[in-house]
Amino acid sequence: MSWRKETRRAERGYHHGNLKEALLQAALGLIAEKGAAGFTFADAARMAGVSPAAPYRHFRDREELLSSIAQRGFEQFEALLTQAWDDGRPDTVTAFERVGKAYLAFARNEPAFYSAMFESGLPVDANPTLMAASERAFGIIRAAAERLAALAPPGTPRPPAMMMALHIWSMSHGVASLFGRGDAARRKLPMSAEDLLEAEVLIYLRGLGFPTDRRPAAADQKPSGPPPVPPAGPWGTPK
Amino acid sequence: MSWRKETRRAERGYHHGNLKEALLQAALGLIAEKGAAGFTFADAARMAGVSPAAPYRHFRDREELLSSIAQRGFEQFEALLTQAWDDGRPDTVTAFERVGKAYLAFARNEPAFYSAMFESGLPVDANPTLMAASERAFGIIRAAAERLAALAPPGTPRPPAMMMALHIWSMSHGVASLFGRGDAARRKLPMSAEDLLEAEVLIYLRGLGFPTDRRPAAADQKPSGPPPVPPAGPWGTPK
DNA sequence: CGGCTCATGTAAAAGCCGTTCACATGAGCT
DNA sequence: AGCTCATGTGAACGGCTTTTACATGAGCCG
């Protein structure tokens, strides 16, 4: 029996022992449930079994708790994007699309973090730590764009990597915000958010001159290996 | 001296005369100032010079006021998009891009409406009237995409208009959300949000096979007339 | 072990907000 | 003139945020 030294039992005595962490977890659950706006400091305290004033020993105010969550969110986000990018393996275009999908997956699987990070209205640029975490996450997208830009087909002007990164970011964020959430503000879609974004990115990359129809950028990585399943095109099979 | 029969003078007697409208205006200002989350029912009442209970004669609760504002927002949004689209004049691609810019302009110029419509977390799909207004606004983008899809270059499979519309919407929304606001959550950009979106849409359209470098789709409208200023490409002059 | 100290938690209170209800007012109609 | 009902008021309830004074006990020092 693993007796985690945690929020088990209300008779934990006067001192909680791990309140800060418990509050963060409680808040995460509450935000996922009722949105960043509906989340309540007092509720988190109640859920942790402490008085409404206790949280103030660990967070200056409600906003700082939110910031902490956003901070963690950006860190997890960065980790997820890093993993998705996987340093561009097996090939740059494939990895690039995986990053886009990871963005969506994060929005869908971690609505609380996503909400705190992008929809809570907290001033990201006012908090240097938060800002830095945000920049690091975006840095992954930017690094991926850098690699992709370097593979621009010869003869065409090379697209600025920063611009590409911003474009990919805005596409991912737009799709995630409009269609990628569990049930809030959902709209009827003829396709999944994932497919929508994938097609969008593919069309965009094609617009930059990247070959995307068959094996993408075969000269990119080691030229051997089994060819991935060739997609029929950016929007399924044209009938 | 135009004595508008409005919120002039506090001595308006027991009855305000135009409270509903005054509340909407007050709320609009407050939301623009402090965000949809920070906006307060009591504050709106105070600003209109009535007691905190008065608004309940005109709105079931705070959320209904927010809904009303979102409703109006979608209507103005639709009007703006309609005007920008201008039935595809002078040519489809130009008008299409104008729609994208109008989206951005709306987000920038009407932050309160935009906030209520997209960032307030209100359940759009739970309110049929609101939903309908939202659909009508999106309908403009969809109609524009329809016209554009019909012009797809021969020989290539014709892209589904709905998909194009969703793509354009997500791009516009993504750029607007991330970079297009006054000062909240602003990020440093190497270019304006407008230019960023324009380049994004151009690259996307090119990816669909539309000619966008010189005179866009010259065969689209009346073939004569002065050629518009030819853009150097989607991302300025390659140096 | 005894005692000190300080981080951590509590209780109470002030001020705000949303919401409701009984009541007041007066605009508009007959 | 008088009636009626939409519209506004005041007071009250419960909940939230935040502050302040006080309580507790974990960890350290001798």
Side-chain angles (χ1 to χ4, degrees):
Chain A
M1 281 140 253
S2 69
W3 274 71
R4 301 196 307 167
K5 188 189 173 185
E6 258 196 20
T7 331
R8 221 53 227 139
R9 311 179 67 89
E11 306 86 346
R12 183 136 308 289
Y14 201 84
H15 289 289
H16 184 288
N18 202 13
L19 184 53
K20 185 161 189 173
E21 192 55 34
L23 286 172
L24 285 168
Q25 294 302 330
L28 215 44
L30 288 170
I31 293 174
E33 193 180 332
K34 310 192 291 185
F39 143 73
T40 268
F41 217 30
D43 245 343
R46 207 169 302 135
M47 190 157 304
V50 295
S51 81
Y56 289 84
R57 295 294 176 195
H58 301 276
F59 303 96
R60 200 181 338 91
D61 52 18
R62 180 179 176 282
E63 185 173 310
E64 193 180 277
L65 206 178
L66 228 53
S67 279
S68 294
I69 288 186
Q71 174 82 25
R72 284 195 183 198
F74 278 118
E75 284 160 8
Q76 289 199 204
F77 193 47
E78 184 197 348
L80 191 71
L81 293 186
T82 301
Q83 175 188 334
W85 170 234
D86 191 25
D87 208 34
R89 281 177 287 257
D91 66 89
T92 308
V93 170
T94 300
F96 203 70
E97 281 173 16
R98 223 169 32 212
V99 170
K101 290 201 180 160
Y103 200 113
L104 270 191
F106 186 83
R108 191 187 302 274
N109 300 333
E110 301 289 355
F113 278 131
Y114 195 84
S115 193
M117 291 157 64
F118 295 115
E119 303 173 342
S120 63
L122 45 89
V124 183
D125 54 348
N127 185 334
T129 324
L130 196 53
M131 184 65 133
S134 162
E135 300 273 342
R136 273 196 303 276
F138 173 64
I140 308 301
I141 300 180
R142 180 170 179 167
E146 208 90 53
R147 284 272 284 279
L148 200 53
L151 294 180
T156 64
R158 178 163 300 174
M162 177 57 104
M163 187 195 71
M164 288 179 56
L166 293 171
H167 284 162
I168 296 298
W169 193 13
S170 66
M171 288 182 205
S172 309
H173 190 77
V175 171
S177 296
L178 290 173
F179 318 107
R181 314 306 294 292
D183 51 1
R186 183 167 38 187
R187 324 249 171 184
K188 290 171 203 148
L189 278 188
M191 56 208 301
S192 76
E194 279 77 7
D195 290 346
L196 188 70
L197 179 60
E198 177 171 4
E200 189 169 348
V201 171
L202 281 177
I203 294 169
Y204 173 82
L205 291 182
R206 188 198 284 165
L208 284 176
F210 289 94
T212 55
D213 274 353
R214 297 293 165 188
R215 287 195 56 203
D220 176 11
Q221 295 281 331
K222 307 179 181 81
S224 69
V229 179
W235 56 89
T237 58
K239 72 176 170 198
Chain B
M1 283 133 260
S2 68
W3 273 70
R4 300 196 309 168
K5 187 192 174 183
E6 259 196 18
T7 331
R8 224 49 229 141
R9 313 177 69 88
E11 307 85 344
R12 185 139 306 290
Y14 201 84
H15 289 288
H16 183 288
N18 202 14
L19 184 53
K20 185 162 190 172
E21 192 55 34
L23 286 173
L24 286 167
Q25 294 302 330
L28 215 45
L30 288 170
I31 292 173
E33 194 180 330
K34 310 192 291 183
F39 143 74
T40 269
F41 217 29
D43 244 342
R46 206 168 303 134
M47 191 159 303
V50 297
S51 80
Y56 290 84
R57 295 295 176 196
H58 300 276
F59 303 95
R60 195 178 346 91
D61 53 18
R62 182 180 174 281
E63 185 173 310
E64 192 179 278
L65 206 178
L66 228 52
S67 278
S68 295
I69 289 187
Q71 174 83 24
R72 284 195 182 196
F74 278 117
E75 285 161 7
Q76 288 198 205
F77 193 46
E78 182 196 349
L80 191 71
L81 293 186
T82 301
Q83 175 188 336
W85 171 236
D86 191 23
D87 207 36
R89 280 176 288 257
D91 66 88
T92 307
V93 170
T94 300
F96 203 70
E97 281 174 17
R98 222 169 32 214
V99 171
K101 291 202 179 159
Y103 199 114
L104 272 191
F106 186 84
R108 192 187 301 274
N109 300 333
E110 302 288 356
F113 278 131
Y114 195 84
S115 192
M117 291 157 64
F118 295 115
E119 304 173 341
S120 63
L122 39 90
V124 183
D125 53 347
N127 184 333
T129 326
L130 195 53
M131 183 66 134
S134 162
E135 300 273 342
R136 273 196 304 275
F138 173 63
I140 307 301
I141 300 180
R142 173 159 189 174
E146 210 91 54
R147 284 272 284 279
L148 201 52
L151 293 179
T156 66
R158 177 161 302 176
M162 177 56 102
M163 185 196 71
M164 288 180 56
L166 292 172
H167 283 162
I168 296 296
W169 192 12
S170 65
M171 288 182 206
S172 307
H173 190 76
V175 171
S177 296
L178 290 173
F179 316 110
R181 318 303 297 289
D183 51 359
R186 180 166 41 188
R187 324 252 170 182
K188 290 169 202 148
L189 278 188
M191 55 208 301
S192 76
E194 279 77 7
D195 290 346
L196 188 70
L197 179 60
E198 177 171 4
E200 191 170 347
V201 172
L202 281 176
I203 294 169
Y204 174 82
L205 291 182
R206 189 198 284 167
L208 284 175
F210 291 94
T212 54
D213 274 352
R214 299 294 165 187
R215 288 194 55 205
D220 177 13
Q221 295 282 329
K222 306 176 183 84
S224 67
V229 179
W235 57 88
T237 58
K239 72 176 167 194

